Amino acid sequence: MDLLQILVNGLSVGTVYGLFALGYTLVFSVLGVINFAHGAVFTLGAYFTYLLIGGAVGANGLLAGFQLPVALPFWGALPLAGLGAALVALLVERVAFRPLRRRRADPLLALITSLGAGVILVNLIQLLVGAESYAIPTSVLGGLPASFPLLGARVRTVQALLLGIALLLLALLSLWLEGSRNGKGLQAVAEDPETAQLLGIDSTAMVRLAFGLSGFLAGVAGGLVGLSVSIAGPYFGIGYGLKGLAVLVLGGLGSVPGAVLGGLIVGLAEAFVPADWSGYKDAVSYGFLFLVLLLRPQGLLGRPLPTKV
Amino acid sequence: MDAALLEQMLLGALLALSVYLPLRCGQLSLATPGFYAVGGYVAALLSTGVAAFAGSGATSPLWALLAEMVLGGILAGLIALAIGGPVLRLRGIYLAIATIALVEILRVLNLNLPFTGGAMGIFGIPQPFAHPGGYVLFTLALLALACWLCQRLEALRLGRAMAAIRDDELAAASLGIDTPRTKLLAFVASAVLAGVTGALAAHFLNAWNARVGSFDASITTLAFVVFGGSRFWLGPVLGGLALTALPELLRPVGDLRLILFGSVILLGPLFFPQGLVTAERLRGLGALLGRGRHRGRQAPQAP
């Protein structure tokens, strides 16, 4: 395969990992815990996109044959699917995270409760639309060609789009975090929730904001991946969820640029795994994760870990 | 209740103890299913590949099972020993993620190594017992031994050192406790127990593949401990027994089964943040049975 093609493949997968890990990071930075339901929200985003472009549910599941009366263009369906995923993420926060915080329980318990929420979501999807795979046809992109030439290589349009949209979202998010009042509030809560509260920032609202944003990013990433490689069934988010975890630590827990950098590194490294060794591709990210944890536990762009005395 | 389900519950309890051991000194390790898979592969490869281990009669010899359990435990323990040093320098969520990564790396290796049978795995593993009841008795004995060792640990210096590390690692170190060595010991013991359990489970399940050691299994085994309570060995044992039985008992509700299971995992920690077996309940039970001698000395401390 051509070097440029490998690069584009790696970058487009890498930005999706980045988007995914960013969702984890937003929640981690304000709560200090990992939301294991994130993969399920990502999966929902893909299914929402499929339904919104007018896709019909297959023969299995309670909703067999169901089809929305409207068929939106992909450009309209993707943000709406993101919003739907954001609402689900807010619901997850409400049932799996807030009760624990109110009781001041061990934050590690959120690993279990959020995973419970994820199990419920994934199995609800299976119950409603069945376990079969769904493909979002590339014809939803309108008149765009399936691939186009670039510097002597052929690049799939879907991958270029993936890369473009992901980069756009990452840029918007960075601008918003640095430039807006709410973005700064979020950073303040991430730094120190109690001081932020004293300064008049509603930390509960900020937690909700972090979950909503993280759900939106996951939903959009799900829709994009659904378009690029099809929806392989209700469980397809789990693999991404685990890799997102590796990306997250690689870049540094709680670091926004770190999540993006980590995603790109993992995506590129996977793309460069030779075809004969493709079975080992999934281990690349975890190998990196191990190395980083041993050499630089705070991650590539994270701050040094504080030691409690 | 049929013997096969009972056997699965007992295996669940053993795995729960394997998660409990590192947690006993405050280390959240999710590596148990990885070591479980390794132990199972040792048993599967030996008993299907070496004629003496398969035996010539209707059932494979018991000594072969015991030898496989020992070897599976040793291999898992050696892996834990090799990676434990650097990995156990990590704390909290970092350690948890590193152990998830270990499980995934082992899973990918099990899926791709030339001798582990690929995605199909290894099947036709010979049976040392003619009836599931034999497995139940054997596993019950193993579980009793593991529980007895955990109970003994409470009275030993090592057990006290583990509890001290859990409560405050820096303070424990300042009292002269060799914290890295103690944590490594707990991690290796956890791996050995998981490896031994895997070797037994591979025979019971008759087939073994890479899916047994997955992220899902990591979380399920962690749920055993969170559910039962992580302060005393009885908690994980009860959690393992109950949560392994639950999906099977829910089978009549069909498609709703896993949704209900998810709801239990979601709601359990909200209502029982310390698990079912807590210090107070244990003391209450002790008083009820008129065994006051445990009070204040042996009962684990409330946080």
Side-chain angles (χ1 to χ4, degrees):
Chain A
M1 214 177 357
D2 200 55
L3 182 69
L4 187 72
Q5 181 69 57
I6 300 179
L7 270 178
V8 173
N9 286 352
L11 285 176
S12 62
V13 175
T15 42
V16 173
Y17 290 160
L19 270 187
F20 201 91
L22 214 58
Y24 275 133
T25 289
L26 281 171
V27 170
F28 184 87
S29 61
V30 291
L31 286 184
V33 290
I34 290 185
N35 173 15
F36 273 135
H38 197 56
V41 174
F42 163 90
T43 311
L44 266 178
Y47 282 92
F48 284 158
T49 312
Y50 175 79
L51 287 175
L52 284 167
I53 58 160
V57 176
N60 299 310
L62 293 179
L63 291 180
F66 173 80
Q67 193 171 12
L68 285 178
V70 288
L72 295 174
F74 187 71
W75 315 114
L78 194 62
L80 274 182
L83 282 181
L87 287 178
V88 176
L90 285 174
L91 188 69
V92 168
E93 192 271 331
R94 184 75 189 76
V95 298
F97 287 83
R98 206 181 306 166
L100 285 178
R101 261 186 309 131
R102 210 185 296 128
R103 284 164 215 200
R104 299 185 181 275
D106 185 346
L108 284 179
L109 286 179
L111 294 183
I112 307 283
T113 53
S114 65
L115 194 93
V119 170
I120 295 174
L121 286 177
V122 164
N123 286 287
L124 264 182
I125 296 176
Q126 179 148 351
L127 190 66
L128 292 176
V129 303
E132 62 254 60
S133 71
Y134 290 94
I136 298 177
T138 42
S139 60
V140 294
L141 296 176
L144 294 178
S147 64
F148 60 90
L150 180 74
L151 302 174
R154 285 208 77 80
V155 175
R156 282 178 67 205
T157 309
V158 175
Q159 285 177 329
L161 274 176
L162 210 69
L163 189 61
I165 296 177
L167 286 178
L168 181 73
L169 279 175
L170 295 176
L172 283 178
L173 186 75
S174 306
L175 281 177
W176 178 82
L177 273 175
E178 294 302 328
S180 76
R181 195 179 156 76
N182 276 336
K184 289 190 168 151
L186 202 65
Q187 288 191 52
V189 174
E191 190 73 37
D192 185 341
E194 292 194 350
T195 312
Q197 190 93 38
L198 281 176
L199 293 172
I201 297 167
D202 182 354
S203 61
T204 309
M206 289 300 143
V207 169
R208 247 177 267 164
L209 189 63
F211 269 90
L213 268 176
S214 121
F216 182 81
L217 292 176
V220 169
L224 287 171
V225 173
L227 176 67
S228 153
V229 296
S230 90
I231 307 168
Y235 287 91
F236 98 117
I238 290 178
Y240 283 91
L242 284 181
K243 248 175 231 170
L245 217 54
V247 166
L248 180 69
V249 176
L250 188 61
L253 279 168
S255 157
V256 169
V260 180
L261 182 69
L264 291 179
I265 291 176
V266 170
L268 281 174
E270 285 186 356
F272 277 100
V273 173
D276 291 346
W277 293 82
S278 62
Y280 292 98
K281 201 165 92 172
D282 282 340
V284 169
S285 50
Y286 306 109
F288 267 120
L289 170 74
F290 242 88
L291 271 182
V292 165
L293 279 176
L294 301 186
L295 300 176
R296 198 179 150 79
Q298 71 270 39
L300 294 175
L301 298 182
R303 281 178 285 181
L305 303 175
T307 38
K308 188 193 81 172
V309 180
Chain B
M1 194 182 301
D2 65 322
L5 175 57
L6 198 57
E7 171 66 10
Q8 280 177 27
M9 290 164 62
L10 293 170
L11 292 171
L14 282 167
L15 289 180
L17 280 179
S18 158
V19 181
Y20 158 80
L21 280 169
L23 217 50
R24 184 86 185 76
C25 55
Q27 310 300 304
L28 176 58
S29 159
L30 297 173
T32 289
F35 296 126
Y36 172 71
V38 166
Y41 273 108
V42 168
L45 287 169
L46 283 174
S47 60
T48 56
V50 181
F53 279 78
S56 50
T59 55
S60 61
L62 197 61
W63 67 261
L65 173 66
L66 291 170
E68 288 158 17
M69 286 165 65
V70 170
L71 290 173
I74 288 177
L75 182 61
L78 285 177
I79 296 174
L81 199 61
I83 62 154
V87 165
L88 288 169
R89 281 186 319 195
L90 304 166
R91 284 152 208 252
I93 199 77
Y94 288 87
L95 176 63
I97 294 176
T99 51
I100 290 177
L102 173 69
V103 172
E104 282 297 304
I105 290 172
L106 287 173
R107 187 182 65 83
V108 172
L109 285 177
N110 289 335
L111 208 53
N112 290 291
L113 285 175
F115 50 85
T116 47
M120 298 283 283
I122 297 168
F123 37 87
I125 302 170
Q127 299 297 308
F129 305 105
H131 187 267
Y135 280 104
V136 170
L137 289 179
F138 186 83
T139 315
L140 207 55
L142 185 64
L143 180 62
L145 177 70
C147 290
W148 179 75
L149 286 174
C150 288
Q151 175 64 42
R152 279 292 298 150
L153 201 60
E154 302 281 330
L156 295 179
R157 191 177 181 280
L158 179 63
R160 304 284 172 89
M162 286 167 71
I165 293 174
R166 174 184 186 143
D167 288 337
D168 191 333
E169 192 171 335
L170 283 171
S174 75
L175 291 173
I177 293 171
D178 186 348
T179 55
R181 193 175 143 270
T182 310
K183 290 196 291 185
L184 186 61
L185 212 58
F187 188 58
V188 171
S190 153
V192 170
L193 183 56
V196 167
T197 308
L200 179 58
H203 282 278
F204 169 67
L205 295 173
N206 187 31
W208 202 250
N209 57 49
R211 280 191 300 278
V212 297
S214 66
F215 169 70
D216 294 11
S218 288
I219 298 298
T220 315
T221 43
L222 177 61
F224 294 165
V225 182
V226 170
F227 228 79
S230 59
R231 290 270 160 178
F232 191 61
W233 59 264
L234 187 61
V237 170
L238 288 182
L241 293 174
L243 283 193
T244 316
L246 188 65
E248 295 306 313
L249 298 179
L250 287 175
R251 212 168 263 290
V253 297
D255 290 338
L256 287 174
R257 184 168 75 106
L258 286 169
I259 296 179
L260 282 177
F261 183 65
S263 314
V264 170
I265 297 183
L266 169 64
L267 296 176
L270 298 183
F271 291 105
F272 300 102
Q274 296 201 30
L276 294 174
V277 178
T278 62
E280 298 88 67
R281 282 186 206 131
L282 212 58
R283 255 181 246 131
L285 189 72
L288 207 68
L289 298 174
R291 291 177 58 192
R293 66 193 172 89
H294 275 277
R295 204 174 307 156
R297 202 176 67 86
Q298 294 248 350
Q301 304 291 304

